[in-house]
Amino acid sequence: MDTSTKFLIVVFGVPLALSAFEQLMHRIAGGAHFWQQGENMPRELRRSTVLMNEEAISCTHPIPIQGRVDQVFLSQGGEVIPLDTKTRSAHRVMESDVVQLSVYAVALRQKYPTANVSHGYIRTVVGSVNDKSVVYHRVRLLSDRAVVRIAIG
């Protein structure tokens, strides 16, 4: 490849590639925005950063815990917020949902000891893929002590 060909590639090819990349990123970000708006995702979560997505979580203290958290967000205020999705026939939160998120919170408090983990979200999905309804339910999480009491019966 001669010098003039290399020059043409650098002058025209690189900007075209960068432009195509920027357009792709805009479409991806726009898609995420549409998804967030279409589901009426709470503003707190829309403004947060995803820390974990479908990841294993565990700890050994105060009790051994292993689980797989759907999502964990870091809010602009520094709060760590777990989210669990439930597919149901109606939009409702069960006590077991709050316990499950609270168990994850115990492990999250160990993983991020300086973070506040006081609430989370249960995302309920009702309906089929083409005709679904999604609701985000903000729930107050149980303390580590309350989770331990439940675990040891």
Side-chain angles (χ1 to χ4, degrees):
M1 190 179 305
D2 65 2
T3 305
S4 61
T5 303
K6 289 179 185 176
F7 175 78
L8 288 174
I9 289 172
V10 169
V11 170
F12 295 107
V14 171
L16 284 173
L18 288 174
S19 175
F21 180 73
E22 282 181 17
Q23 288 175 6
L24 175 64
M25 292 295 99
H26 187 277
R27 269 189 260 138
I28 290 171
H33 176 72
F34 176 77
W35 169 67
Q36 293 170 351
Q37 292 294 93
E39 287 199 353
N40 199 23
M41 180 184 271
R43 171 180 249 159
E44 174 183 41
L45 296 180
R46 286 195 317 263
R47 292 182 171 187
S48 297
T49 303
V50 177
L51 278 180
M52 301 173 76
N53 186 36
E54 297 286 335
E55 290 183 37
I57 188 165
S58 64
C59 71
T60 56
H61 180 76
I63 55 173
I65 292 173
Q66 286 188 333
R68 187 164 194 85
V69 65
D70 287 350
Q71 282 87 35
V72 176
F73 293 83
L74 177 62
S75 76
Q76 290 180 332
E79 292 179 285
V80 173
I81 306 166
L83 178 142
D84 199 55
T85 298
K86 302 293 184 187
T87 303
R88 302 243 160 89
S89 59
H91 292 294
R92 65 181 180 278
V93 175
M94 298 180 184
E95 186 177 345
S96 61
D97 300 335
V98 176
V99 171
Q100 181 181 0
L101 269 189
S102 297
V103 167
Y104 294 154
V106 171
L108 289 167
R109 289 181 191 114
Q110 294 299 311
K111 185 175 176 96
Y112 305 104
T114 60
N116 179 22
V117 189
S118 61
H119 70 280
Y121 285 87
I122 302 296
R123 176 180 171 262
T124 56
V125 180
V126 173
S128 64
V129 174
N130 296 325
D131 184 27
K132 70 178 180 181
S133 170
V134 178
V135 174
Y136 288 80
H137 309 268
R138 184 178 176 166
V139 296
R140 184 178 176 151
L141 301 174
L142 303 173
S143 68
D144 288 5
R145 179 176 284 168
V147 171
V148 170
R149 276 196 307 264
I150 291 168
I152 61 175

